[in-house]
Amino acid sequence: MMHNETVDTLLNRRSIRKFKPEPLDDSIIATLETVAQHAASSQFLNDWSAIRVSDPTVKRKLAEFGHQPYIADAPLLYVFVLDEHRNAAIAAAKGVDTHADAFTLTGSYRFTQAQNDAAFALHAMETAAYSLGLGCVILGSILNDVDGLIEVLHLPEYTYPLLGLAIGKPDQEPALKPRMPRSMQFFENAYPADDATVLEPLAEFDDEVHQYYDLRNTDRPVDAFSDQIAKNAVADMTGRTVGEPASRQGFRLDR
Amino acid sequence: MMHNETVDTLLNRRSIRKFKPEPLDDSIIATLETVAQHAASSQFLNDWSAIRVSDPTVKRKLAEFGHQPYIADAPLLYVFVLDEHRNAAIAAAKGVDTHADAFTLTGSYRFTQAQNDAAFALHAMETAAYSLGLGCVILGSILNDVDGLIEVLHLPEYTYPLLGLAIGKPDQEPALKPRMPRSMQFFENAYPADDATVLEPLAEFDDEVHQYYDLRNTDRPVDAFSDQIAKNAVADMTGRTVGEPASRQGFRLDR
């Protein structure tokens, strides 16, 4: 293993869900946002945006959507958005009929492409925040109510919310979460044909995860990894369907 | 703007497409892979994997898919993969019927969730690589032939390729690509109702982009941003459809 400031920042990342009630100054915000903009963008489309959520009413809404009160207290809060709306407006100004069938900004590939770019930008911001001594938590929970989120943030046609990101000075010190053995996640030249080979170190990893205490639930260790996965595999995810709300935003994930 | 090693690494990122023909040693590989594993994972699902492609025949295949010969020469090459296959095997071992209707590992939300996690992992690896003096290029081009990619990497049911990542010691020094004014990409509390406000600084950005010379095409400056976007908006992306190949891999993006 090699070490430097960046590698160590990435290795020590853990989600922070409790922040000191101090606002972050403009030079920090400028740094985080500029760093996000420098992440890779496929075909230079720059097909994402981010909404900085500072209005306490909007913050409370997001906390409600996510059933997580701490969202409302985040000193700095973003919702990253897949954005083909801006590019559609640019193309329309150049004479492109953005509602024609041939229009490709709204198909499944563009959606995933924009999603990747938005994710890179969010991750760049997250990494920069940690390097500046801040802490973050990525918020999938706000997607409990995609329609509500779209409404409250006025997300127009050809946009779709990716995830939230809450940032602030950490007011908690969670333990580093265990990671699975590398051999379970990195393969050479092909995906192994035999699941048993991949899962060989699973029992040990299960034990390691079961030693870990989550600050959200400090009275008992978390479930073994296998038990968490089995539980998740039968969880009802229908409320988080993407295809239908995405189609209301103008995307056609079937093509 | 604030500066430190990590922030500067992120600000100076540019795609590197020509590498010195030197292999990277095992400690670098271990560092990059371990860093990728420490990226955030939604609900701790760890639902991605990566294939390290070292076999020259497989590398050449990927270069063919992408129509980019330099892919075959990358000292270190990965394909990141959305992976619910491993979790399905784990859940099956715990008695879950992974082909039942209630099984949720294969719906549109899980797909996007796994995609985000895989993108975070890839971006963490990319960032660590730059911090170690290496260069990278993210490879969307290999998705020209998703079926071929799935075949050559033996990607099983419930997996789907995200993107490739080529890494090595840089043998070129491309200029930093311009980024759009922050006001075009970051908004306060809501997406602006008026496109004209968002696009107000576009002409200036168009000029700036048009000054930039791409190393892939050094005889003329690149098109203005607006012109690139208008061209992309009518590009034929049907060959890159995600829904259909994803359904052959067992995903149901319609639910």
Side-chain angles (χ1 to χ4, degrees):
Chain A
M1 282 285 290
M2 305 185 71
H3 290 280
N4 63 30
E5 199 183 288
T6 304
V7 165
D8 290 343
T9 295
L10 291 163
L11 288 176
N12 289 314
R13 189 209 59 78
R14 60 206 82 190
S15 296
I16 299 296
R17 295 182 173 81
K18 193 167 178 232
F19 303 105
K20 293 189 178 146
E22 298 167 26
L24 304 181
D25 69 36
D26 285 348
S27 72
I28 290 181
I29 294 173
T31 305
L32 296 177
E33 295 184 359
T34 307
V35 160
Q37 292 192 286
H38 278 81
S41 175
S42 180
Q43 301 185 285
F44 198 51
L45 294 178
N46 292 277
D47 45 4
W48 61 271
S49 295
I51 315 286
R52 196 189 305 113
V53 182
S54 54
D55 180 335
T57 314
V58 182
K59 288 170 95 166
R60 272 196 303 274
K61 273 279 183 200
L62 266 53
E64 275 171 37
F65 297 154
H67 312 302
Q68 289 168 329
Y70 63 81
I71 296 175
D73 300 325
L76 188 58
L77 180 62
Y78 292 93
V79 177
F80 279 74
V81 174
L82 290 67
D83 188 356
E84 301 294 351
H85 179 87
R86 181 178 47 238
N87 285 351
I90 291 171
K94 286 276 171 185
V96 173
D97 176 2
T98 56
H99 287 91
D101 252 351
F103 183 62
T104 55
L105 286 188
T106 59
S108 58
Y109 184 71
R110 282 278 194 254
F111 189 88
T112 58
Q113 191 181 26
Q115 187 185 335
N116 288 335
D117 288 353
F120 296 153
L122 182 150
H123 190 268
M125 182 183 277
E126 186 204 24
T127 303
Y130 281 105
S131 81
L132 294 168
L134 305 170
C136 308
V137 58
I138 299 174
L139 304 165
S141 60
I142 56 172
L143 301 172
N144 282 332
D145 189 347
V146 168
D147 290 339
L149 196 56
I150 287 169
E151 196 187 338
V152 74
L153 300 179
H154 302 176
L155 298 185
E157 189 181 44
Y158 307 151
T159 64
Y160 198 81
L162 177 85
L163 289 164
L165 182 65
I167 306 174
K169 291 185 186 149
D171 198 19
Q172 61 178 187
E173 271 195 79
L176 202 57
K177 229 167 176 174
R179 264 18 198 179
M180 54 175 65
R182 231 185 341 140
S183 67
M184 284 179 68
Q185 207 152 21
F186 281 91
F187 311 126
E188 191 91 19
N189 291 311
Y191 201 103
D194 181 13
D195 290 339
T197 317
V198 176
L199 299 184
E200 198 269 323
L202 179 62
E204 202 181 318
F205 181 55
D206 270 340
D207 282 348
E208 203 190 335
V209 171
H210 193 48
Q211 313 277 323
Y212 177 83
Y213 281 75
D214 193 314
L215 285 183
R216 286 171 291 184
N217 209 344
T218 49
D219 57 335
R220 59 173 185 83
V222 302
D223 287 341
F225 185 69
S226 292
D227 294 322
Q228 293 186 43
I229 293 303
K231 213 176 278 176
N232 262 299
V234 293
D236 182 4
M237 305 298 287
T238 46
R240 291 212 182 171
T241 302
V242 176
E244 203 187 297
S247 79
R248 284 196 292 274
Q249 290 297 97
F251 290 103
R252 290 274 310 272
L253 301 196
D254 58 325
R255 72 174 182 192
Chain B
M1 284 284 293
M2 306 186 69
H3 291 279
N4 64 30
E5 198 183 290
T6 304
V7 165
D8 290 343
T9 295
L10 291 162
L11 289 176
N12 288 312
R13 188 209 59 79
R14 61 205 82 189
S15 296
I16 298 296
R17 294 181 174 85
K18 193 167 176 231
F19 303 105
K20 293 191 179 145
E22 298 167 26
L24 303 181
D25 71 33
D26 285 349
S27 72
I28 290 182
I29 295 173
T31 304
L32 297 177
E33 296 183 359
T34 306
V35 161
Q37 291 192 287
H38 278 82
S41 175
S42 179
Q43 297 184 289
F44 197 51
L45 294 179
N46 292 275
D47 44 6
W48 61 271
S49 295
I51 315 286
R52 196 188 305 114
V53 181
S54 54
D55 181 334
T57 315
V58 183
K59 288 170 95 166
R60 273 196 303 273
K61 273 279 184 201
L62 266 54
E64 275 171 39
F65 297 155
H67 310 302
Q68 289 168 330
Y70 63 80
I71 296 175
D73 300 326
L76 188 58
L77 180 63
Y78 291 93
V79 177
F80 280 74
V81 175
L82 289 68
D83 189 356
E84 300 294 351
H85 179 88
R86 181 178 46 239
N87 285 351
I90 291 171
K94 285 277 173 184
V96 174
D97 176 1
T98 56
H99 287 91
D101 253 352
F103 183 62
T104 55
L105 286 188
T106 59
S108 58
Y109 184 72
R110 281 277 195 256
F111 190 88
T112 58
Q113 190 181 29
Q115 187 185 335
N116 288 335
D117 288 354
F120 296 152
L122 182 151
H123 190 269
M125 181 184 277
E126 186 205 23
T127 303
Y130 280 105
S131 81
L132 293 168
L134 304 171
C136 308
V137 58
I138 299 174
L139 303 165
S141 60
I142 57 172
L143 301 172
N144 282 331
D145 190 347
V146 167
D147 291 339
L149 197 56
I150 287 169
E151 196 188 337
V152 75
L153 300 179
H154 302 175
L155 298 184
E157 189 182 43
Y158 306 151
T159 64
Y160 198 81
L162 176 83
L163 288 165
L165 182 65
I167 308 172
K169 291 185 186 147
D171 198 18
Q172 62 178 187
E173 269 194 82
L176 203 57
K177 229 168 177 173
R179 267 14 200 181
M180 53 176 66
R182 236 189 330 143
S183 67
M184 284 180 68
Q185 207 153 22
F186 281 91
F187 311 126
E188 191 90 20
N189 291 312
Y191 200 102
D194 180 13
D195 291 337
T197 318
V198 175
L199 299 185
E200 198 270 321
L202 179 62
E204 202 181 321
F205 181 55
D206 270 341
D207 282 347
E208 203 189 334
V209 171
H210 193 48
Q211 313 277 325
Y212 176 83
Y213 281 74
D214 193 315
L215 284 185
R216 287 171 290 184
N217 210 345
T218 49
D219 56 334
R220 58 173 187 84
V222 302
D223 287 341
F225 186 67
S226 291
D227 294 322
Q228 292 186 43
I229 294 303
K231 211 176 278 178
N232 263 299
V234 293
D236 181 4
M237 305 299 287
T238 46
R240 291 211 182 173
T241 303
V242 177
E244 203 186 297
S247 79
R248 284 197 292 274
Q249 290 296 98
F251 289 102
R252 292 273 310 272
L253 301 194
D254 58 324
R255 71 173 183 195

